Amino acid sequence: MAKTLFISDLDGTLLSSDSRLSANTVAMLNEAISKGALFSVATARTPSTVAILLKDVEARLPFIVMTGAAVWNPLDKTFSHPVTMKQETAESILATIHAHSLPAFIYTLKDNVIHIYHTGPLSEGEKNFISERDDSIYKVFHIAENGCSDIPARLDNVVLFYAMQPSDIVESTYNDIRAHNDCNAVFYHDIYGPEIGLMEIFAPGASKADALKWLKLHTGADRVAAFGDNINDIPMLRVADVAIAVENAVEEVKEVADIIIGPNTSDSVAQFILEAITAGNSDSADSTRNDNL
């Protein structure tokens, strides 16, 4: 019988408005998994917060983290399929960030631990970002009180440059980086307000879409049903067999979706997965694009 891999974005999609999994979502996911559902997530987050958010979910598959820059296995706490930048590319991107005076985070991966550095002063939003994550065994911050770090002399294991600043400076830096570097760059607005722009810069080949292709092969799935809400989900939705947007998704996501379900605040993703698997080992997800499930 054909197997479907169900894969969901977290923030704004699987998580509720308080950025947590509701008890109902946890219960429905665990029931679906117990009935044989192949379930995973694809998120911009790192394992430090993913492990906490999904601690009550009986996950059996690796998670796509850092927007596809790596895959992380919650069972043995290891990374696989990492995609790092060439050193010269990382140095060029960092020089552009300095030229625009854009405060930004630099993520490196070594020995199954993420090491994070920062350039420029810390905003209040960045301080909160760090405080929510600085006690994780999966992540180490190397950031002084003034926001600056001693950047490693060799930037040969960078997986991500990340910025969360006013949209105008982020967008101008993003455009400059894209114009002069071979990289996978994403710019979008924070779901909590358009005044803050988010920039993610990865190596070529690092994306939710490419990681999803790897995970599909890894699980032996015949097809993929993917759920998303924001711009960085679009590549993943386009390579999925069935693209599903939550009701609160941005319009660009709804335009590429085959199906639009309820909002993230109504346990819509978990309910969809449970109903699909209960209907007959996900036979209801056996469709081509533009068909209703």
Side-chain angles (χ1 to χ4, degrees):
M1 184 175 291
K3 296 190 297 183
T4 298
L5 170 61
F6 297 96
I7 188 154
S8 178
D9 170 58
L10 286 181
D11 293 271
T13 305
L14 188 67
L15 303 184
S16 56
S17 56
D18 61 355
S19 296
R20 296 289 184 270
L21 288 186
S22 73
N24 285 338
T25 281
V26 170
M28 285 189 284
L29 287 177
N30 285 339
E31 183 178 352
I33 292 169
S34 71
K35 292 181 176 180
L38 298 175
F39 169 76
S40 184
V41 300
T43 177
R45 291 176 178 263
T46 68
S48 61
T49 53
V50 176
I52 295 171
L53 290 169
L54 273 68
K55 63 182 177 62
D56 296 323
V57 176
E58 297 172 4
R60 302 170 185 174
L61 300 181
F63 299 146
I64 295 171
V65 296
M66 294 183 286
T67 316
V71 175
W72 184 73
N73 192 327
L75 299 180
D76 62 12
K77 318 302 183 192
T78 60
F79 287 90
S80 60
H81 199 57
V83 184
T84 58
M85 294 182 187
K86 293 180 179 179
Q87 182 176 337
E88 57 268 28
T89 300
E91 291 174 348
S92 173
I93 291 171
L94 181 59
T96 302
I97 286 172
H98 283 318
H100 285 262
S101 299
L102 174 70
F105 293 98
I106 306 165
Y107 287 61
T108 68
L109 181 59
K110 184 178 181 180
D111 298 329
N112 286 307
V113 176
I114 297 170
H115 297 266
I116 303 177
Y117 305 86
H118 188 269
T119 178
L122 289 168
S123 67
E124 287 304 312
E126 288 175 318
K127 290 177 182 178
N128 292 334
F129 178 86
I130 294 171
S131 67
E132 294 172 357
R133 297 162 171 82
D134 64 359
D135 59 350
S136 172
I137 62 173
Y138 310 115
K139 178 187 295 182
V140 178
F141 286 93
H142 304 271
I143 303 175
E145 289 188 8
N146 65 1
C148 295
S149 301
D150 291 329
I151 308 298
R154 289 185 57 82
L155 293 176
D156 55 357
N157 56 354
V158 174
V159 291
L160 168 66
F161 287 94
Y162 177 68
M164 46 186 299
Q165 295 290 331
S167 290
D168 53 351
I169 183 174
V170 175
E171 187 169 14
S172 64
T173 308
Y174 159 81
N175 289 332
D176 199 358
I177 289 173
R178 280 196 65 192
H180 299 98
N181 296 277
D182 182 19
C183 61
N184 179 12
V186 183
F187 168 78
Y188 56 104
H189 293 104
D190 193 319
I191 61 174
Y192 302 110
E195 68 278 1
I196 297 297
L198 304 180
M199 180 182 75
E200 300 169 0
I201 309 294
F202 304 95
S207 71
K208 287 185 178 182
D210 286 307
L212 177 54
K213 294 175 184 177
W214 179 90
L215 188 58
K216 181 181 179 181
L217 290 173
H218 176 79
T219 59
D222 301 293
R223 60 204 172 202
V224 175
F227 305 81
D229 77 303
N230 213 332
I231 299 298
N232 64 340
D233 296 318
I234 290 178
M236 173 178 72
L237 295 176
R238 283 180 171 155
V239 302
D241 298 286
V242 183
I244 305 162
V246 285
E247 187 178 284
N248 52 286
V250 299
E251 287 304 315
E252 294 92 332
V253 170
K254 291 181 178 179
E255 288 173 2
V256 303
D258 302 312
I259 299 169
I260 298 176
I261 59 176
N264 66 312
T265 53
S266 298
D267 306 302
S268 302
V269 172
Q271 182 177 349
F272 182 98
I273 294 172
L274 180 57
E275 289 178 354
I277 201 73
T278 301
N281 197 25
S282 71
D283 281 347
S284 63
D286 188 8
S287 70
T288 56
R289 284 186 173 275
N290 303 317
D291 288 339
N292 292 325
L293 294 189

